[in-house]
Amino acid sequence: MSMFERLGETVERLKQEATAGRDGSIEYRCRDCGEGFYHEHETCPKCESTAVERLENDRNH
């Protein structure tokens, strides 16, 4: 992974954390490492696993 890809992932994670502070609810989680995030990814931003799942919560219904 290049330095620019890592930087892009770090920026995305910071944006997600800022969004979390605003809405207080994660929508996706990695089943392998447990990392929660707010936008859909094909792989986990933390561990790069493809075991990403959308969480069901009252706000999505």
Side-chain angles (χ1 to χ4, degrees):
M1 179 179 297
S2 77
M3 177 181 71
F4 292 109
E5 288 173 319
R6 286 191 305 270
L7 179 60
E9 289 179 357
T10 300
V11 168
E12 180 62 28
R13 190 173 344 202
L14 291 172
K15 286 181 357 188
Q16 290 179 6
E17 289 172 4
T19 301
R22 187 181 65 221
D23 348 283
S25 175
I26 62 170
E27 293 191 24
Y28 299 89
R29 181 173 310 277
C30 175
R31 289 187 308 264
D32 288 341
C33 74
E35 178 78 1
F37 38 98
Y38 308 93
H39 301 285
E40 185 174 10
H41 293 276
E42 289 183 19
T43 61
C44 174
K46 183 175 181 181
C47 73
E48 300 183 11
S49 168
T50 58
V52 173
E53 66 182 345
R54 182 178 178 98
L55 300 176
E56 303 239 352
N57 63 41
D58 293 337
R59 294 171 58 148
N60 292 336
H61 295 297

